[in-house]
Amino acid sequence: MRFPEFLRTTVMVSAASASLLVVLTVAGSNGNGDTLLVPLAAVWWVVAALSGIWIGRGRSTTRQIATVLASARTQPSLPELNPARTVLNRLWPILIVTIGAGAIAFAYPQVSAIAAGFAVIWALAWRHQGSAVTAIEERDGARFYVEHTSPLQPIKLVRTPGFRTNMMEDFRAARAQRPSGAAGRHA
């Protein structure tokens, strides 16, 4: 699985987890007759959303992702691709937290409310990382794939040759070919 797609999938899975946990929190608090939990949880979710937006405000990769990209092993051919196995292998903690918090949501809806807030933070904080890695791939003419490793080991990447884009060079060449007096005139 390509690394930018994995990052986008992580954001979507985190957002789905947050949505499910919010619904279970509301249902659990209504079942318990707790009228204070949902307003307090809503405040936590807004704080979590603002925190996630603040953390993820940059358009460049985080230091951790830059380190993983820099340590990618170069390989001339594509690695074995199995997106479902990769997602399950790498995102199992989100799955476990979602199932665990959801399972006790009707007895303890506070747990699912708190877990939903952290899933919101995660989704919003990582929302630009896939695009940042794609930009690096286009600039360097490489593709990064998630390597199959143990679920308990840190993520490892494989770097393969890709197609390098020369958008800035094409832009400069087109600008240089334009007659100097033609700039700013319309036909």
Side-chain angles (χ1 to χ4, degrees):
M1 176 175 212
R2 283 195 49 220
F3 189 50
E5 293 169 1
F6 172 75
L7 291 170
R8 289 183 190 97
T9 302
T10 302
V11 169
M12 296 305 289
V13 168
S14 297
S17 171
S19 300
L20 176 64
L21 291 173
V22 164
V23 168
L24 292 174
T25 298
V26 172
S29 68
N30 285 341
N32 291 345
D34 190 349
T35 59
L36 187 58
L37 177 64
V38 173
L40 288 176
V43 170
W44 160 235
W45 297 329
V46 169
V47 169
L50 293 173
S51 298
I53 290 169
W54 178 258
I55 293 168
R57 70 189 181 281
R59 298 276 181 192
S60 61
T61 60
T62 62
R63 184 174 38 93
Q64 295 83 0
I65 288 184
T67 302
V68 170
L69 291 173
S71 65
R73 179 175 57 86
T74 302
Q75 179 175 308
S77 62
L78 289 177
E80 178 186 345
L81 299 177
N82 190 337
R85 184 179 67 186
T86 301
V87 168
L88 188 59
N89 189 30
R90 303 308 327 169
L91 299 183
W92 63 268
I94 296 172
L95 182 64
I96 296 296
V97 167
T98 303
I99 291 171
I104 62 172
F106 289 96
Y108 302 102
Q110 305 87 342
V111 174
S112 58
I114 293 168
F118 284 109
V120 167
I121 291 172
W122 192 263
L124 291 173
W126 285 79
R127 69 189 186 279
H128 296 301
Q129 295 303 303
S131 299
V133 172
T134 299
I136 291 170
E137 287 182 339
E138 290 174 355
R139 181 197 68 199
D140 294 349
R143 296 288 179 254
F144 293 96
Y145 292 88
V146 178
E147 187 174 2
H148 179 68
T149 58
S150 165
L152 301 177
Q153 291 180 345
I155 194 166
K156 292 182 182 176
L157 301 180
V158 173
R159 179 186 174 120
T160 63
F163 297 106
R164 183 174 179 178
T165 62
N166 297 324
M167 290 188 297
M168 288 307 293
E169 293 170 14
D170 292 343
F171 176 72
R172 287 186 200 121
R175 214 167 153 197
Q177 291 175 355
R178 191 176 352 153
S180 62
R185 291 189 198 156
H186 298 316

